PDB file of all heavy atoms in Angstrom:
ATOM      1  N   ARG A 247       4.177 170.909-109.788  1.00  0.00           N
ATOM      2  CA  ARG A 247       3.071 170.000-110.110  1.00  0.00           C
ATOM      3  C   ARG A 247       3.491 168.537-110.030  1.00  0.00           C
ATOM      4  O   ARG A 247       2.648 167.667-109.783  1.00  0.00           O
ATOM      5  CB  ARG A 247       2.522 170.307-111.496  1.00  0.00           C
ATOM      6  CG  ARG A 247       1.807 171.658-111.537  1.00  0.00           C
ATOM      7  CD  ARG A 247       1.127 171.930-112.838  1.00  0.00           C
ATOM      8  NE  ARG A 247       0.145 170.912-113.146  1.00  0.00           N
ATOM      9  CZ  ARG A 247      -0.258 170.649-114.387  1.00  0.00           C
ATOM     10  NH1 ARG A 247       0.229 171.312-115.413  1.00  0.00           N
ATOM     11  NH2 ARG A 247      -1.150 169.713-114.607  1.00  0.00           N
ATOM     12  N   TYR A 248       4.776 168.256-110.302  1.00  0.00           N
ATOM     13  CA  TYR A 248       5.319 166.896-110.198  1.00  0.00           C
ATOM     14  C   TYR A 248       6.426 166.899-109.157  1.00  0.00           C
ATOM     15  O   TYR A 248       7.182 167.863-109.050  1.00  0.00           O
ATOM     16  CB  TYR A 248       5.939 166.436-111.515  1.00  0.00           C
ATOM     17  CG  TYR A 248       5.011 166.064-112.635  1.00  0.00           C
ATOM     18  CD1 TYR A 248       5.534 165.673-113.854  1.00  0.00           C
ATOM     19  CD2 TYR A 248       3.629 166.093-112.512  1.00  0.00           C
ATOM     20  CE1 TYR A 248       4.723 165.325-114.911  1.00  0.00           C
ATOM     21  CE2 TYR A 248       2.807 165.757-113.567  1.00  0.00           C
ATOM     22  CZ  TYR A 248       3.362 165.363-114.761  1.00  0.00           C
ATOM     23  OH  TYR A 248       2.555 165.013-115.815  1.00  0.00           O
ATOM     24  N   LYS A 249       6.525 165.808-108.426  1.00  0.00           N
ATOM     25  CA  LYS A 249       7.641 165.623-107.506  1.00  0.00           C
ATOM     26  C   LYS A 249       8.859 165.149-108.300  1.00  0.00           C
ATOM     27  O   LYS A 249       8.727 164.510-109.333  1.00  0.00           O
ATOM     28  CB  LYS A 249       7.291 164.581-106.452  1.00  0.00           C
ATOM     29  CG  LYS A 249       6.271 165.073-105.453  1.00  0.00           C
ATOM     30  CD  LYS A 249       6.068 164.053-104.366  1.00  0.00           C
ATOM     31  CE  LYS A 249       5.062 164.606-103.372  1.00  0.00           C
ATOM     32  NZ  LYS A 249       4.905 163.734-102.226  1.00  0.00           N
ATOM     33  N   VAL A 250      10.021 165.450-107.770  1.00  0.00           N
ATOM     34  CA  VAL A 250      11.259 164.957-108.381  1.00  0.00           C
ATOM     35  C   VAL A 250      11.607 163.657-107.676  1.00  0.00           C
ATOM     36  O   VAL A 250      11.958 163.658-106.496  1.00  0.00           O
ATOM     37  CB  VAL A 250      12.394 165.987-108.232  1.00  0.00           C
ATOM     38  CG1 VAL A 250      13.682 165.440-108.830  1.00  0.00           C
ATOM     39  CG2 VAL A 250      12.011 167.297-108.890  1.00  0.00           C
ATOM     40  N   ARG A 251      11.469 162.579-108.394  1.00  0.00           N
ATOM     41  CA  ARG A 251      11.713 161.265-107.818  1.00  0.00           C
ATOM     42  C   ARG A 251      13.053 160.677-108.254  1.00  0.00           C
ATOM     43  O   ARG A 251      13.616 159.847-107.566  1.00  0.00           O
ATOM     44  CB  ARG A 251      10.585 160.310-108.198  1.00  0.00           C
ATOM     45  CG  ARG A 251       9.226 160.766-107.698  1.00  0.00           C
ATOM     46  CD  ARG A 251       8.151 159.768-108.110  1.00  0.00           C
ATOM     47  NE  ARG A 251       6.823 160.304-107.965  1.00  0.00           N
ATOM     48  CZ  ARG A 251       6.113 160.276-106.854  1.00  0.00           C
ATOM     49  NH1 ARG A 251       6.623 159.757-105.767  1.00  0.00           N
ATOM     50  NH2 ARG A 251       4.900 160.783-106.818  1.00  0.00           N
ATOM     51  N   SER A 252      13.529 161.100-109.388  1.00  0.00           N
ATOM     52  CA  SER A 252      14.747 160.536-109.957  1.00  0.00           C
ATOM     53  C   SER A 252      15.987 161.056-109.240  1.00  0.00           C
ATOM     54  O   SER A 252      16.221 162.264-109.161  1.00  0.00           O
ATOM     55  CB  SER A 252      14.827 160.883-111.448  1.00  0.00           C
ATOM     56  OG  SER A 252      16.021 160.402-111.990  1.00  0.00           O
ATOM     57  N   SER A 253      16.784 160.139-108.720  1.00  0.00           N
ATOM     58  CA  SER A 253      17.979 160.538-107.989  1.00  0.00           C
ATOM     59  C   SER A 253      18.993 161.250-108.877  1.00  0.00           C
ATOM     60  O   SER A 253      19.761 162.070-108.392  1.00  0.00           O
ATOM     61  CB  SER A 253      18.628 159.323-107.328  1.00  0.00           C
ATOM     62  OG  SER A 253      19.027 158.387-108.318  1.00  0.00           O
ATOM     63  N   ASN A 254      18.954 160.998-110.193  1.00  0.00           N
ATOM     64  CA  ASN A 254      19.947 161.632-111.069  1.00  0.00           C
ATOM     65  C   ASN A 254      19.612 163.080-111.421  1.00  0.00           C
ATOM     66  O   ASN A 254      20.428 163.752-112.047  1.00  0.00           O
ATOM     67  CB  ASN A 254      20.198 160.802-112.329  1.00  0.00           C
ATOM     68  CG  ASN A 254      19.023 160.754-113.286  1.00  0.00           C
ATOM     69  OD1 ASN A 254      17.940 161.239-112.983  1.00  0.00           O
ATOM     70  ND2 ASN A 254      19.228 160.161-114.440  1.00  0.00           N
ATOM     71  N   ILE A 255      18.442 163.566-111.019  1.00  0.00           N
ATOM     72  CA  ILE A 255      18.141 164.992-111.252  1.00  0.00           C
ATOM     73  C   ILE A 255      17.774 165.746-109.967  1.00  0.00           C
ATOM     74  O   ILE A 255      17.658 166.966-109.995  1.00  0.00           O
ATOM     75  CB  ILE A 255      17.036 165.211-112.322  1.00  0.00           C
ATOM     76  CG1 ILE A 255      15.728 164.570-111.928  1.00  0.00           C
ATOM     77  CG2 ILE A 255      17.506 164.759-113.677  1.00  0.00           C
ATOM     78  CD1 ILE A 255      14.585 164.943-112.846  1.00  0.00           C
ATOM     79  N   LYS A 256      17.657 165.036-108.868  1.00  0.00           N
ATOM     80  CA  LYS A 256      17.260 165.694-107.609  1.00  0.00           C
ATOM     81  C   LYS A 256      18.226 166.807-107.205  1.00  0.00           C
ATOM     82  O   LYS A 256      17.795 167.897-106.830  1.00  0.00           O
ATOM     83  CB  LYS A 256      17.141 164.659-106.490  1.00  0.00           C
ATOM     84  CG  LYS A 256      16.245 165.089-105.365  1.00  0.00           C
ATOM     85  CD  LYS A 256      15.950 163.941-104.448  1.00  0.00           C
ATOM     86  CE  LYS A 256      14.690 163.267-104.929  1.00  0.00           C
ATOM     87  NZ  LYS A 256      14.047 162.399-103.962  1.00  0.00           N
ATOM     88  N   ASP A 257      19.529 166.559-107.296  1.00  0.00           N
ATOM     89  CA  ASP A 257      20.510 167.597-106.941  1.00  0.00           C
ATOM     90  C   ASP A 257      20.442 168.778-107.905  1.00  0.00           C
ATOM     91  O   ASP A 257      20.580 169.932-107.496  1.00  0.00           O
ATOM     92  CB  ASP A 257      21.928 167.024-106.922  1.00  0.00           C
ATOM     93  CG  ASP A 257      22.169 166.102-105.735  1.00  0.00           C
ATOM     94  OD1 ASP A 257      21.396 166.156-104.761  1.00  0.00           O
ATOM     95  OD2 ASP A 257      23.141 165.315-105.791  1.00  0.00           O
ATOM     96  N   LEU A 258      20.229 168.499-109.187  1.00  0.00           N
ATOM     97  CA  LEU A 258      20.111 169.568-110.180  1.00  0.00           C
ATOM     98  C   LEU A 258      18.873 170.416-109.912  1.00  0.00           C
ATOM     99  O   LEU A 258      18.914 171.650-109.989  1.00  0.00           O
ATOM    100  CB  LEU A 258      20.063 168.978-111.593  1.00  0.00           C
ATOM    101  CG  LEU A 258      21.279 168.150-112.021  1.00  0.00           C
ATOM    102  CD1 LEU A 258      20.997 167.426-113.338  1.00  0.00           C
ATOM    103  CD2 LEU A 258      22.515 169.017-112.122  1.00  0.00           C
TER     104      LEU A 258
END
Side-chain angles (χ1 to χ4, degrees):
R247 291 186 59 204
Y248 286 178
K249 289 185 179 185
V250 178
R251 299 180 195 274
S252 177
S253 62
N254 68 353
I255 60 171
K256 203 169 269 197
D257 288 342
L258 300 170

